Amino acid sequence: MFLKFLWIFFISMVPLIELRGAIPVSQALGLPILPSYAICIIGNMLPVPIIFLFARRFLEWGQDKKFIGGVCQFFLTKGSEAGKKLQAKAGRTLFVALFLFVGIPIPGTGAWTGTLAASLLDMDFKETVIAVTLGVLLAGVIMMAISFGVVGAAGAVAG
């Protein structure tokens, strides 16, 4: 069971997959709900401070480098576009917009993208971490509800 928990922990750390992919995997593996939820949250949040503090610097440094320039430019562009959309929709309520951006589990709106966007918008570190944490918690609840429906329906069909 430890290896299954370790597996979902690492899945929840992967960009674009994050907790949105790890929670359904945890339920497909038959893991208990509350420990799975907690492990996925921790795994998803672990990279957030590192992303906020270092990703922007690395991407700006690497955007004109020969081998990594294209990738760095892609992520700078994606993060900037997400940040601009977020700021345009949010106005003064950037905290709430970041929370909802991360919390509604659709592709490309997770903790990695939200944190990078907040970093590019020069949001406060503490405010960013709180908004992203709340968003990840919300996304986790939504994904658990969806997973129960999908796993429960599959069990009923197979059963």
Side-chain angles (χ1 to χ4, degrees):
M1 186 178 287
F2 174 76
L3 289 177
K4 290 179 181 179
F5 280 122
L6 194 60
W7 179 240
I8 64 167
F9 176 77
F10 284 120
I11 291 173
S12 66
M13 291 176 66
V14 175
L16 300 175
I17 298 172
E18 301 181 29
L19 157 134
R20 292 151 170 75
I23 286 180
V25 169
S26 76
Q27 296 311 289
L29 292 173
L31 294 172
I33 183 118
L34 292 179
S36 297
Y37 178 76
I39 288 169
C40 290
I41 297 294
I42 293 166
N44 201 177
M45 288 304 300
L46 197 60
V48 167
I50 297 163
I51 295 165
F52 187 88
L53 297 172
F54 299 110
R56 179 181 181 175
R57 291 178 192 157
F58 173 79
L59 294 173
E60 288 173 348
W61 169 83
Q63 69 183 338
D64 59 353
K65 303 297 184 255
K66 185 175 181 177
F67 294 108
I68 61 171
V71 173
C72 290
Q73 190 60 44
F74 169 79
F75 283 111
L76 273 173
T77 303
K78 184 167 177 58
S80 292
E81 289 172 0
K84 287 176 187 173
K85 286 180 187 176
L86 198 59
Q87 197 165 34
K89 290 181 180 179
R92 298 172 131 194
T93 59
L94 196 53
F95 177 90
V96 174
L98 180 59
F99 157 65
L100 292 174
F101 179 82
V102 174
I104 298 172
I106 56 175
T109 65
W112 282 72
T113 307
T115 303
L116 180 58
S119 173
L120 294 172
L121 290 171
D122 292 320
M123 279 184 70
D124 177 64
F125 175 76
K126 184 178 178 182
E127 187 175 68
T128 298
V129 171
I130 293 169
V132 170
T133 300
L134 292 173
V136 167
L137 291 169
L138 174 61
V141 168
I142 293 169
M143 291 309 301
M144 278 296 183
I146 291 170
S147 293
F148 276 137
V150 170
V151 172
V157 170

